[in-house]
Amino acid sequence: MNRMVCVRRKVGIGAFVSAALFAAVLIIGCDGKKVSAHALPDGALDKSGQSRTAVPAVPAAPIVPAAPIVPAADFVIEYRHTGFSYAEVFGFDTYAYRFASLPDGSLESAVLFGRMADGEAEISRFSFVRAGNEIQILESPKPKNPNDGAIPTRVRATLVPSPQGEAVRGIFEGVVEKTAEGFLSFRTPGGEAREEYRLGTGAEVGVSRRVLGGAVVAEGGYLREGRGALVYRERKVGDRQGAEDVSVTFEEDVRNLLSFRTEGVVPINEVRISSGNGCLGGNLLNLAIVDSVLGPDRRIRPALSYLYLR
């Protein structure tokens, strides 16, 4: 009798050890990873009395938000407003213009983004439609509220290049042209107001002038200072102290990258232009398109002119 009790105890201990080892295998798993405590071993019975094969529970894959679709760009202008309180008023201060080009180098389209605290948000799309001798710049703004209806596409400008390629008319009802004096000129249709730039050689890299009603109202120039850094300065005629000077300091100047900041009585902008020389160098039509999309209020014509002329 005692012997039978001893045997039963030994069997009970062996069963306990086997169960413990099996539980450890379930917890650790073959690859060292934990599996669900609810998984059933092979041959075990569920509540219905049916045999079921153990299937380790697989944790749900994390939900990864889709990345925003950003069109490929051949020419990029990142423009930051540095004026006081701009970001506080509008909620952001940096715009990114991404231009795409055709195989022949001519610009085809552009997308404007606003750089917000949580990433970039599309503001507007531009397409450059060629019809005969004209090029229409069409703008399609994106609604600020997704629930709003689509905003109609509008004609931002109509450009008409001259047959000889020395002028493009129609930029905000104006003209951009290369004059006989070698100036790159942005002017009104009748020439009442002109903004002109010309590059030179030596210490004085180039000059500029603003003309209103036939009189020069401001003059400027491109200079090399310090260790050869390029600077543009413009001063109103009669302002001997330079109280209202506008200066552009070029921080980087390599073949496909131009970075600069513009300051007047108050800070105006910080700009980074990528692949600018390949897009604008000597291409008057591309220059006219970019100037039309950004508009004259951006105050970057000294830099755009430099890229075109150099």
Side-chain angles (χ1 to χ4, degrees):
M1 183 70 175
N2 292 338
R3 190 173 181 180
M4 291 179 64
V5 171
C6 181
V7 171
R8 287 178 180 175
R9 285 179 178 174
K10 287 181 180 180
V11 171
I13 293 172
F16 176 80
V17 171
S18 299
L21 289 174
F22 187 80
V25 171
L26 282 179
I27 294 174
I28 297 173
C30 296
D31 58 356
K33 297 181 180 178
K34 292 184 179 181
V35 297
S36 171
H38 299 289
L40 295 174
D42 290 350
L45 300 180
D46 62 12
K47 293 181 179 179
S48 65
Q50 299 296 321
S51 176
R52 181 177 296 176
T53 301
V55 179
V58 179
I63 298 175
V64 179
I69 299 175
V70 178
D74 303 305
F75 173 53
V76 180
I77 298 178
E78 296 170 296
Y79 183 102
R80 177 174 175 263
H81 281 278
T82 53
F84 303 128
S85 301
Y86 190 94
E88 288 76 4
V89 173
F90 295 96
F92 69 103
D93 60 10
T94 303
Y95 295 84
Y97 296 84
R98 292 192 169 92
F99 292 83
S101 63
L102 296 168
D104 64 359
S106 59
L107 294 177
E108 176 187 28
S109 61
V111 184
L112 171 61
F113 295 89
R115 190 159 295 165
M116 314 298 178
D118 57 350
E120 291 187 344
E122 182 179 323
I123 296 175
S124 199
R125 286 180 178 259
F126 301 86
S127 56
F128 315 134
V129 180
R130 289 158 172 78
N133 295 328
E134 295 185 350
I135 298 176
Q136 285 190 332
I137 298 180
L138 305 180
E139 180 180 7
S140 301
K142 186 171 184 179
K144 293 183 180 180
N145 189 334
N147 296 324
D148 294 341
I151 301 176
T153 297
R154 67 187 182 95
V155 179
R156 179 70 173 266
T158 300
L159 309 182
V160 184
S162 64
Q164 293 75 28
E166 79 284 355
V168 179
R169 303 178 185 278
I171 305 172
F172 296 106
E173 299 182 357
V175 180
V176 59
E177 62 183 352
K178 191 73 178 293
T179 69
E181 296 176 281
F183 279 96
L184 176 63
S185 177
F186 302 85
R187 66 175 177 83
T188 56
E192 303 87 356
R194 304 197 310 273
E195 186 177 338
E196 300 182 328
Y197 303 88
R198 183 178 66 189
L199 294 188
T201 57
E204 186 178 68
V205 181
V207 297
S208 72
R209 64 191 182 194
R210 291 178 182 270
V211 180
L212 184 61
V216 177
V217 297
E219 294 179 306
Y222 300 86
L223 304 171
R224 294 285 180 183
E225 295 185 347
R227 298 180 179 179
L230 181 66
V231 177
Y232 170 84
R233 285 197 179 89
E234 182 182 295
R235 177 172 295 183
K236 289 184 177 181
V237 173
D239 181 10
R240 295 183 179 181
Q241 303 300 321
E244 298 182 65
D245 279 6
V246 174
S247 64
V248 181
T249 303
F250 295 87
E251 299 171 351
E252 291 185 79
D253 178 12
V254 294
R255 179 170 179 80
N256 293 317
L257 174 65
L258 193 69
S259 298
F260 59 91
R261 68 178 184 275
T262 308
E263 298 174 299
V265 178
V266 297
I268 299 174
N269 62 48
E270 290 180 356
V271 183
R272 178 184 175 92
I273 300 178
S274 303
S275 299
N277 195 58
C279 172
L280 298 184
N283 193 319
L284 197 63
L285 180 55
N286 280 354
L287 173 67
I289 290 174
V290 172
D291 185 69
S292 296
V293 170
L294 270 73
D297 295 337
R298 293 294 193 210
R299 298 298 297 272
I300 68 169
R301 280 178 173 173
L304 295 180
S305 299
Y306 174 72
L307 287 173
Y308 171 81
L309 293 167
R310 74 175 180 179

